[in-house]
Amino acid sequence: MTSRVSSATGQTGQAEQADGTVVGEQRRPDATAKDVRRLDRVIIRFAGDSGDGMQLTGDRFTSETASFGNDLSTLPNFPAEIRAPAGTLPGVSSFQLHFADHDILTPGDAPNVLVAMNPAALKANIADVPRGAQIIVNTDEFTPRALQKVGYAASPLEDGSLDGYQLHPVPLTTLTVEALKEFDLTRKEAERSKNMFALGLLSWMYHRPTDGTEKFLQTKFARKPDIAAANIAAFRAGWNFGETTEDFAVSYEVAPAAKAFPVGTYRNISGNLALAYGLIAASRQADLPLFLGSYPITPASDILHELSRHKNFGVRTFQAEDEIAGIGAALGAAFGGSLAVTTTSGPGVALKSETIGLAVSLELPLLIVDIQRGGPSTGLPTKTEQADLLQAMYGRNGEAPVPIVAPCTPADCFDAALEAARIALTYRTPVFLLSDGYLANGSEPWRIPEQDELPDLRVQFASGPNHTLDDGTEVFWPYKRDPHTLARPWAIPGTPGLEHRIGGIEKQDGTGNISYDPANHDLMVRTRQAKTDGIDVPDLRVDDPDGARTLVLGWGSTYGPITAAVRRLRAAGEAIAQAHLRHLNPFPGNLGEVLRAYDKVVVPEMNLGQLATLIRARHLVDAHSYNQVNGMPFKAEQLATALKEAIHDH
């Protein structure tokens, strides 16, 4: 059959432009050929059992979309159980992808297309699907037993409950097995390829490239060529099914987002991968070996896995027996002259807190990467939250200030890692980097920087005496400070003449000797605090084109939903200002001035108001919290509604 790109209008869906305006798709009916309809954006959600390969399917569709040149944002969502009972609601895994021909910021509020591999996937996700959206279901899985398992009294495919949707019943399992009958596979082995059949069908529907996926499958199953060939055959069968079946009369085209990106070389990247690359880049720019001391924990483990692949860049990874050993080894590496990192999530931070305090006392550079997740305790391991801010700020005994940096998008994790390393190396201090599960697992296009765009992070190690005693003797004082940064010298163990005592007991100013003197302790506590307070961070930038009276202030991963909501409000004629914090300790120097310039300050957070609490305490501003702690990121429409109410609430 022939395809053509249409030009006449006929709206069947809505999409948000970069400026917040809403437009529809373009279409032209044709009685003799399948139509190709132009859309400016699409939101697709793949959902199935945790053994159905939905994350792999979503990853492949995303990779091809990135290579095509669309802007994109993803939201993987999977259960905490390694293998929840098949066909149950707790075992549903999903992957949502939003891609567009313009600049977008979020994975989207609601899917235009839901691919449901079984009744559990349909029931778990149908509430998010708007009327009129397309639903593709694997009818082979809608058996009486599977329906009963999730509480369906009758099949939703037959009882009329899905009449408001564009329903596409497809026997995915049967079609896959039929497509692979020439291969020497058992039925169970053949059924495993049904996710590739679904991927082929969706790739046809949205004109995605196919070469990359076929090469990926050949590489992934290089040691099992029969399995590789079977998966490729299933993928092609899905594509051909879309092309030939009468049920799919239309395919869709989303043009590349040519105007959304500055000129450069781009790749799709997740937050954890960007963070790992940022750490490697920081070590190269500092001319220091990178050492990671870590214990696996969701959702931070990917960083350990990725860094372990890069020994050629001088990266050393140590998978310790527990969280305490991981940070202990990292602090030892910092003492030895490495750019030292430990990665974890909230429960691990709790275990690392004593060693973080030791790093504060020793005044050594150490990066503590906290990929936040739902808490308390083990909480929601695979869901997102940003509720560790106060833990990072105060979660140690005594006065133990630690700088805090937070990335705002998956790609921004690269720059945040460089910034955290800059602060740690310049000021000789541990630094928290607060990412979260949404950023860690989500992905977006990233422009690969040129090396001359990266900061120079090189440091000078102490090489000899730095202090002269009253009798003229030259000695090394390990706590003699740089007058500008208050950083102490970094002395590599084994350097002749630079021997000095370390440990957690309070140091004497200058000499570093053990001291129990009250006045000295007061001086050291205030000096460490002054060092943190004096860190050079950029002023807070405010986006306020209309002279608004209401400011929305965010931090971390709320950037995308907040910005999308602000765009919608401005497109509707509302005046609202936006600012986003990267540095949470110390705050930017102009933060108080910015806050006092507005009648109302609204702080959306995925916690119960931790930044708002700090804002109120530090600047005596009546910051209004808007909070969510359901393990999922904000939706743009949800925030737009709340912010509009704040604007008009007098």
Side-chain angles (χ1 to χ4, degrees):
M1 291 188 175
T2 59
S3 297
R4 56 179 61 85
V5 176
S6 53
S7 57
T9 60
Q11 184 169 324
T12 63
Q14 290 187 332
E16 183 187 356
Q17 295 267 49
D19 61 1
T21 58
V22 173
V23 301
E25 63 184 29
Q26 304 289 320
R27 60 175 256 179
R28 182 176 68 191
D30 190 308
T32 61
K34 288 196 175 185
D35 280 344
V36 178
R37 298 183 186 173
R38 264 202 200 110
L39 303 175
D40 67 349
R41 70 156 189 169
V42 174
I43 302 167
I44 298 174
R45 183 181 298 178
F46 298 94
D49 192 71
S50 57
D52 285 339
M54 293 297 93
Q55 301 305 316
L56 174 63
T57 306
D59 280 340
R60 290 313 315 158
F61 197 93
T62 299
S63 295
E64 299 297 358
T65 296
S67 68
F68 188 72
N70 296 118
D71 195 9
L72 62 90
S73 180
T74 69
L75 178 62
N77 186 15
F78 40 87
E81 291 83 358
I82 293 174
R83 189 66 177 90
T88 63
L89 292 174
V92 173
S93 174
S94 69
F95 188 106
Q96 183 162 305
L97 166 67
H98 182 190
F99 61 100
D101 66 1
H102 58 270
D103 172 34
I104 58 173
L105 297 153
T106 74
D109 288 356
N112 308 116
V113 182
L114 171 66
V115 180
M117 302 297 279
N118 61 18
L122 178 65
K123 188 164 190 177
N125 291 280
I126 190 65
D128 293 336
V129 182
R131 295 282 172 166
Q134 298 191 66
I135 300 177
I136 301 171
V137 296
N138 179 15
T139 55
D140 289 325
E141 293 297 321
F142 280 70
T143 63
R145 183 160 183 254
L147 293 166
Q148 183 181 16
K149 193 178 291 188
V150 294
Y152 278 125
S155 172
L157 308 184
E158 301 169 357
D159 64 4
S161 61
L162 300 179
D163 286 351
Y165 305 92
Q166 299 179 56
L167 181 64
H168 301 281
V170 180
L172 286 172
T173 307
T174 299
L175 289 170
T176 303
V177 172
E178 178 66 20
L180 302 184
K181 63 183 180 181
E182 64 185 75
F183 293 89
D184 186 21
L185 299 173
T186 66
R187 180 179 176 86
K188 188 172 184 180
E189 288 173 333
E191 287 179 359
R192 288 179 185 150
S193 296
K194 63 181 180 289
N195 64 324
M196 288 297 105
F197 188 100
L199 178 60
L201 172 58
L202 270 292
S203 297
W204 173 83
M205 284 180 66
Y206 291 97
H207 294 218
R208 299 298 91 184
T210 60
D211 288 349
T213 293
E214 293 193 7
K215 290 177 181 175
F216 168 82
L217 291 170
Q218 288 170 348
T219 302
K220 180 176 176 65
F221 298 108
R223 296 183 180 179
K224 298 179 179 179
D226 291 346
I227 300 297
N231 276 281
I232 292 171
F235 177 66
R236 291 174 177 172
W239 176 282
N240 293 332
F241 177 78
E243 179 73 18
T244 57
T245 183
E246 294 298 320
D247 194 38
F248 293 90
V250 177
S251 65
Y252 303 89
E253 185 175 84
V254 181
K259 298 180 180 179
F261 305 117
V263 175
T265 302
Y266 287 80
R267 61 157 294 164
N268 182 51
I269 200 165
S270 69
N272 273 352
L273 184 57
L275 208 158
Y277 286 176
L279 293 172
I280 296 170
S283 77
R284 303 293 285 185
Q285 293 302 107
D287 197 21
L288 296 173
L290 178 65
F291 180 91
L292 174 67
S294 183
Y295 180 75
I297 184 172
T298 302
S301 300
D302 289 342
I303 303 171
L304 170 62
H305 301 159
E306 182 61 33
L307 289 179
S308 68
R309 300 187 177 106
H310 297 286
K311 297 181 179 68
N312 56 311
F313 287 117
V315 178
R316 297 173 219 170
T317 52
F318 170 55
Q319 180 175 320
E321 66 269 28
D322 56 38
E323 296 280 4
I324 299 171
I327 190 173
L331 185 57
F335 180 58
S338 292
L339 176 60
V341 186
T342 189
T343 51
T344 190
S345 190
V349 173
L351 292 165
K352 295 178 190 289
S353 62
E354 183 180 6
T355 306
I356 297 171
L358 177 60
V360 172
S361 175
L362 296 181
E363 301 188 44
L364 287 170
L366 173 66
L367 302 187
I368 305 111
V369 176
D370 177 6
I371 313 296
Q372 301 166 94
R373 71 190 207 189
S377 187
T378 312
L380 303 175
T382 61
K383 308 302 180 185
T384 195
E385 206 164 274
Q386 49 178 183
D388 294 351
L389 176 56
L390 294 182
Q391 181 185 33
M393 186 76 76
Y394 299 121
R396 293 160 297 283
N397 63 298
E399 295 287 346
V402 175
I404 303 171
V405 174
C408 63
T409 70
D412 187 50
C413 290
F414 178 87
D415 295 315
L418 285 163
E419 175 63 0
R422 177 191 72 86
I423 293 172
L425 294 170
T426 303
Y427 296 90
R428 310 284 196 272
T429 178
V431 176
F432 262 103
L433 196 159
L434 289 185
S435 179
D436 61 39
Y438 171 39
L439 295 183
N441 296 316
S443 63
E444 65 177 350
W446 171 59
R447 186 181 71 83
I448 301 172
E450 301 295 334
Q451 188 166 354
D452 59 10
E453 297 177 68
L454 303 179
D456 184 352
L457 300 179
R458 288 174 294 182
V459 296
Q460 294 294 324
F461 292 115
S463 58
N466 61 358
H467 185 75
T468 303
L469 300 176
D470 292 341
D471 63 3
T473 304
E474 292 186 339
V475 296
F476 174 67
W477 272 15
Y479 283 83
K480 188 179 180 74
R481 300 185 181 278
D482 181 293
H484 302 292
T485 64
L486 298 182
R488 77 175 187 92
W490 195 359
I492 300 299
T495 306
L498 304 190
E499 298 84 1
H500 59 283
R501 180 182 289 110
I502 61 168
I505 296 177
E506 186 60 281
K507 319 291 185 294
Q508 184 182 50
D509 181 39
T511 69
N513 295 330
I514 290 174
S515 173
Y516 298 103
D517 178 63
N520 177 77
H521 177 58
D522 185 273
L523 173 65
M524 294 296 282
V525 168
R526 293 181 186 276
T527 301
R528 289 188 289 261
Q529 185 65 56
K531 182 172 70 168
T532 299
D533 293 342
I535 291 172
D536 180 27
V537 302
D539 278 349
L540 180 65
R541 292 186 297 176
V542 182
D543 176 22
D544 184 6
D546 304 311
R549 304 314 309 156
T550 299
L551 170 72
V552 55
L553 178 69
W555 71 276
S557 66
T558 56
Y559 174 79
I562 290 174
T563 306
V566 166
R567 287 179 178 178
R568 294 188 185 194
L569 290 172
R570 289 177 181 169
E574 302 286 355
I576 187 166
Q578 179 187 1
H580 208 78
L581 288 167
R582 160 168 290 204
H583 297 89
L584 297 153
N585 192 32
F587 284 135
N590 68 332
L591 177 58
E593 177 186 347
V594 167
L595 296 172
R596 289 187 290 273
Y598 292 91
D599 296 338
K600 185 173 293 184
V601 177
V602 182
V603 185
E605 297 181 78
M606 292 188 293
N607 57 47
L608 294 183
Q610 297 188 15
L611 175 61
T613 297
L614 294 173
I615 293 293
R616 294 188 191 109
R618 298 282 180 89
H619 296 288
L620 303 180
V621 170
D622 185 20
H624 298 259
S625 284
Y626 182 76
N627 309 116
Q628 174 175 297
V629 282
N630 62 4
M632 298 295 289
F634 284 112
K635 294 182 177 179
E637 185 61 34
Q638 165 196 3
L639 278 180
T641 300
L643 293 174
K644 184 176 181 179
E645 291 175 357
I647 292 171
H648 296 286
D649 180 15
H650 301 294

PDB file of all heavy atoms in Angstrom, residues 13 15 31 49 62 150 190-191 224 288 339 343 390 446 448 475 539 633 648:
ATOM      1  N   GLY A  13      -7.073  15.094  18.059  1.00  0.00           N
ATOM      2  CA  GLY A  13      -6.261  15.056  19.278  1.00  0.00           C
ATOM      3  C   GLY A  13      -5.688  16.411  19.529  1.00  0.00           C
ATOM      4  O   GLY A  13      -5.714  17.288  18.669  1.00  0.00           O
ATOM      5  N   ALA A  15      -2.368  18.815  21.375  1.00  0.00           N
ATOM      6  CA  ALA A  15      -0.965  18.759  21.764  1.00  0.00           C
ATOM      7  C   ALA A  15      -0.512  20.124  22.220  1.00  0.00           C
ATOM      8  O   ALA A  15      -1.006  21.147  21.763  1.00  0.00           O
ATOM      9  CB  ALA A  15      -0.114  18.293  20.595  1.00  0.00           C
ATOM     10  N   ALA A  31      -9.752   6.915   0.387  1.00  0.00           N
ATOM     11  CA  ALA A  31     -10.486   5.653   0.378  1.00  0.00           C
ATOM     12  C   ALA A  31      -9.645   4.489  -0.124  1.00  0.00           C
ATOM     13  O   ALA A  31      -9.999   3.334   0.065  1.00  0.00           O
ATOM     14  CB  ALA A  31     -11.741   5.798  -0.486  1.00  0.00           C
ATOM     15  N   ASP A  49       3.033  -7.335  32.122  1.00  0.00           N
ATOM     16  CA  ASP A  49       3.606  -8.018  33.264  1.00  0.00           C
ATOM     17  C   ASP A  49       5.104  -7.702  33.343  1.00  0.00           C
ATOM     18  O   ASP A  49       5.739  -7.406  32.326  1.00  0.00           O
ATOM     19  CB  ASP A  49       3.390  -9.518  33.118  1.00  0.00           C
ATOM     20  CG  ASP A  49       3.690 -10.261  34.403  1.00  0.00           C
ATOM     21  OD1 ASP A  49       2.911 -10.132  35.350  1.00  0.00           O
ATOM     22  OD2 ASP A  49       4.723 -10.955  34.435  1.00  0.00           O
ATOM     23  N   THR A  62      12.317   4.385  22.323  1.00  0.00           N
ATOM     24  CA  THR A  62      12.924   5.674  22.661  1.00  0.00           C
ATOM     25  C   THR A  62      14.205   5.900  21.871  1.00  0.00           C
ATOM     26  O   THR A  62      14.455   7.001  21.358  1.00  0.00           O
ATOM     27  CB  THR A  62      13.221   5.734  24.170  1.00  0.00           C
ATOM     28  OG1 THR A  62      11.998   5.598  24.893  1.00  0.00           O
ATOM     29  CG2 THR A  62      13.883   7.047  24.546  1.00  0.00           C
ATOM     30  N   VAL A 150      -7.533 -10.188  38.512  1.00  0.00           N
ATOM     31  CA  VAL A 150      -7.455  -8.747  38.793  1.00  0.00           C
ATOM     32  C   VAL A 150      -8.823  -8.135  39.078  1.00  0.00           C
ATOM     33  O   VAL A 150      -8.964  -6.913  39.122  1.00  0.00           O
ATOM     34  CB  VAL A 150      -6.777  -8.000  37.631  1.00  0.00           C
ATOM     35  CG1 VAL A 150      -5.328  -8.419  37.511  1.00  0.00           C
ATOM     36  CG2 VAL A 150      -7.495  -8.213  36.305  1.00  0.00           C
ATOM     37  N   ALA A 190       8.782 -18.876  22.005  1.00  0.00           N
ATOM     38  CA  ALA A 190       8.267 -17.983  20.965  1.00  0.00           C
ATOM     39  C   ALA A 190       7.429 -16.856  21.569  1.00  0.00           C
ATOM     40  O   ALA A 190       7.498 -15.699  21.126  1.00  0.00           O
ATOM     41  CB  ALA A 190       7.441 -18.781  19.958  1.00  0.00           C
ATOM     42  N   GLU A 191       6.640 -17.189  22.592  1.00  0.00           N
ATOM     43  CA  GLU A 191       5.780 -16.180  23.214  1.00  0.00           C
ATOM     44  C   GLU A 191       6.588 -15.024  23.807  1.00  0.00           C
ATOM     45  O   GLU A 191       6.088 -13.897  23.905  1.00  0.00           O
ATOM     46  CB  GLU A 191       4.926 -16.826  24.302  1.00  0.00           C
ATOM     47  CG  GLU A 191       3.809 -17.700  23.769  1.00  0.00           C
ATOM     48  CD  GLU A 191       3.007 -18.344  24.882  1.00  0.00           C
ATOM     49  OE1 GLU A 191       3.335 -18.112  26.079  1.00  0.00           O
ATOM     50  OE2 GLU A 191       2.052 -19.092  24.573  1.00  0.00           O
ATOM     51  N   LYS A 224      23.452 -16.217  20.862  1.00  0.00           N
ATOM     52  CA  LYS A 224      22.298 -17.069  20.581  1.00  0.00           C
ATOM     53  C   LYS A 224      21.660 -16.587  19.279  1.00  0.00           C
ATOM     54  O   LYS A 224      20.599 -15.954  19.285  1.00  0.00           O
ATOM     55  CB  LYS A 224      21.284 -17.002  21.730  1.00  0.00           C
ATOM     56  CG  LYS A 224      21.837 -17.494  23.066  1.00  0.00           C
ATOM     57  CD  LYS A 224      20.796 -17.373  24.163  1.00  0.00           C
ATOM     58  CE  LYS A 224      21.334 -17.882  25.502  1.00  0.00           C
ATOM     59  NZ  LYS A 224      20.324 -17.742  26.583  1.00  0.00           N
ATOM     60  N   LEU A 288      42.462  13.599  38.104  1.00  0.00           N
ATOM     61  CA  LEU A 288      42.502  12.731  39.282  1.00  0.00           C
ATOM     62  C   LEU A 288      41.838  11.401  38.937  1.00  0.00           C
ATOM     63  O   LEU A 288      40.882  11.361  38.162  1.00  0.00           O
ATOM     64  CB  LEU A 288      41.742  13.356  40.459  1.00  0.00           C
ATOM     65  CG  LEU A 288      42.274  14.658  41.039  1.00  0.00           C
ATOM     66  CD1 LEU A 288      41.293  15.192  42.080  1.00  0.00           C
ATOM     67  CD2 LEU A 288      43.641  14.442  41.672  1.00  0.00           C
ATOM     68  N   LEU A 339      39.422  11.544  43.208  1.00  0.00           N
ATOM     69  CA  LEU A 339      38.084  12.123  43.215  1.00  0.00           C
ATOM     70  C   LEU A 339      37.167  11.002  43.669  1.00  0.00           C
ATOM     71  O   LEU A 339      36.926  10.039  42.928  1.00  0.00           O
ATOM     72  CB  LEU A 339      37.684  12.622  41.828  1.00  0.00           C
ATOM     73  CG  LEU A 339      36.258  13.164  41.696  1.00  0.00           C
ATOM     74  CD1 LEU A 339      36.021  14.339  42.627  1.00  0.00           C
ATOM     75  CD2 LEU A 339      35.946  13.552  40.262  1.00  0.00           C
ATOM     76  N   THR A 343      27.655   6.225  46.009  1.00  0.00           N
ATOM     77  CA  THR A 343      26.305   6.351  45.478  1.00  0.00           C
ATOM     78  C   THR A 343      25.335   5.539  46.318  1.00  0.00           C
ATOM     79  O   THR A 343      25.675   4.458  46.800  1.00  0.00           O
ATOM     80  CB  THR A 343      26.239   5.853  44.024  1.00  0.00           C
ATOM     81  OG1 THR A 343      26.821   4.543  43.942  1.00  0.00           O
ATOM     82  CG2 THR A 343      26.990   6.786  43.095  1.00  0.00           C
ATOM     83  N   LEU A 390      16.007  17.481  53.839  1.00  0.00           N
ATOM     84  CA  LEU A 390      16.366  17.795  55.227  1.00  0.00           C
ATOM     85  C   LEU A 390      17.364  16.779  55.774  1.00  0.00           C
ATOM     86  O   LEU A 390      18.200  17.118  56.618  1.00  0.00           O
ATOM     87  CB  LEU A 390      15.112  17.844  56.098  1.00  0.00           C
ATOM     88  CG  LEU A 390      14.132  18.983  55.779  1.00  0.00           C
ATOM     89  CD1 LEU A 390      12.949  18.964  56.746  1.00  0.00           C
ATOM     90  CD2 LEU A 390      14.831  20.336  55.825  1.00  0.00           C
ATOM     91  N   TRP A 446      20.430  14.742  24.836  1.00  0.00           N
ATOM     92  CA  TRP A 446      21.534  15.462  25.495  1.00  0.00           C
ATOM     93  C   TRP A 446      22.555  15.853  24.445  1.00  0.00           C
ATOM     94  O   TRP A 446      22.997  15.006  23.663  1.00  0.00           O
ATOM     95  CB  TRP A 446      22.164  14.558  26.550  1.00  0.00           C
ATOM     96  CG  TRP A 446      23.437  15.059  27.158  1.00  0.00           C
ATOM     97  CD1 TRP A 446      23.635  16.228  27.835  1.00  0.00           C
ATOM     98  CD2 TRP A 446      24.715  14.389  27.177  1.00  0.00           C
ATOM     99  NE1 TRP A 446      24.936  16.321  28.269  1.00  0.00           N
ATOM    100  CE2 TRP A 446      25.620  15.207  27.876  1.00  0.00           C
ATOM    101  CE3 TRP A 446      25.163  13.162  26.671  1.00  0.00           C
ATOM    102  CZ2 TRP A 446      26.948  14.850  28.078  1.00  0.00           C
ATOM    103  CZ3 TRP A 446      26.487  12.814  26.879  1.00  0.00           C
ATOM    104  CH2 TRP A 446      27.358  13.651  27.574  1.00  0.00           C
ATOM    105  N   ILE A 448      26.102  16.474  23.428  1.00  0.00           N
ATOM    106  CA  ILE A 448      27.415  16.082  23.930  1.00  0.00           C
ATOM    107  C   ILE A 448      28.332  17.303  23.879  1.00  0.00           C
ATOM    108  O   ILE A 448      28.547  17.881  22.805  1.00  0.00           O
ATOM    109  CB  ILE A 448      28.000  14.933  23.096  1.00  0.00           C
ATOM    110  CG1 ILE A 448      27.045  13.728  23.137  1.00  0.00           C
ATOM    111  CG2 ILE A 448      29.382  14.541  23.598  1.00  0.00           C
ATOM    112  CD1 ILE A 448      27.431  12.611  22.193  1.00  0.00           C
ATOM    113  N   VAL A 475      57.122  24.356  58.981  1.00  0.00           N
ATOM    114  CA  VAL A 475      56.383  23.127  59.270  1.00  0.00           C
ATOM    115  C   VAL A 475      55.158  23.048  58.345  1.00  0.00           C
ATOM    116  O   VAL A 475      54.801  24.013  57.667  1.00  0.00           O
ATOM    117  CB  VAL A 475      55.913  23.089  60.737  1.00  0.00           C
ATOM    118  CG1 VAL A 475      57.107  23.065  61.688  1.00  0.00           C
ATOM    119  CG2 VAL A 475      55.000  24.273  61.048  1.00  0.00           C
ATOM    120  N   ASP A 539      23.928  33.534  41.154  1.00  0.00           N
ATOM    121  CA  ASP A 539      22.655  34.087  41.583  1.00  0.00           C
ATOM    122  C   ASP A 539      21.497  33.318  40.962  1.00  0.00           C
ATOM    123  O   ASP A 539      21.618  32.739  39.869  1.00  0.00           O
ATOM    124  CB  ASP A 539      22.539  35.563  41.182  1.00  0.00           C
ATOM    125  CG  ASP A 539      23.253  36.488  42.166  1.00  0.00           C
ATOM    126  OD1 ASP A 539      23.652  36.018  43.256  1.00  0.00           O
ATOM    127  OD2 ASP A 539      23.407  37.681  41.840  1.00  0.00           O
ATOM    128  N   PRO A 633       5.870  11.570  39.555  1.00  0.00           N
ATOM    129  CA  PRO A 633       6.114  12.997  39.341  1.00  0.00           C
ATOM    130  C   PRO A 633       4.807  13.769  39.182  1.00  0.00           C
ATOM    131  O   PRO A 633       3.755  13.193  38.880  1.00  0.00           O
ATOM    132  CB  PRO A 633       6.938  13.030  38.048  1.00  0.00           C
ATOM    133  CG  PRO A 633       6.617  11.756  37.348  1.00  0.00           C
ATOM    134  CD  PRO A 633       6.346  10.751  38.417  1.00  0.00           C
ATOM    135  N   HIS A 648      -4.975  33.642  41.836  1.00  0.00           N
ATOM    136  CA  HIS A 648      -6.237  34.356  42.037  1.00  0.00           C
ATOM    137  C   HIS A 648      -6.752  34.266  43.466  1.00  0.00           C
ATOM    138  O   HIS A 648      -7.841  34.776  43.759  1.00  0.00           O
ATOM    139  CB  HIS A 648      -7.289  33.824  41.065  1.00  0.00           C
ATOM    140  CG  HIS A 648      -6.943  34.084  39.629  1.00  0.00           C
ATOM    141  ND1 HIS A 648      -7.029  35.330  39.057  1.00  0.00           N
ATOM    142  CD2 HIS A 648      -6.477  33.257  38.655  1.00  0.00           C
ATOM    143  CE1 HIS A 648      -6.653  35.269  37.783  1.00  0.00           C
ATOM    144  NE2 HIS A 648      -6.304  34.013  37.520  1.00  0.00           N
TER     145      HIS A 648
END
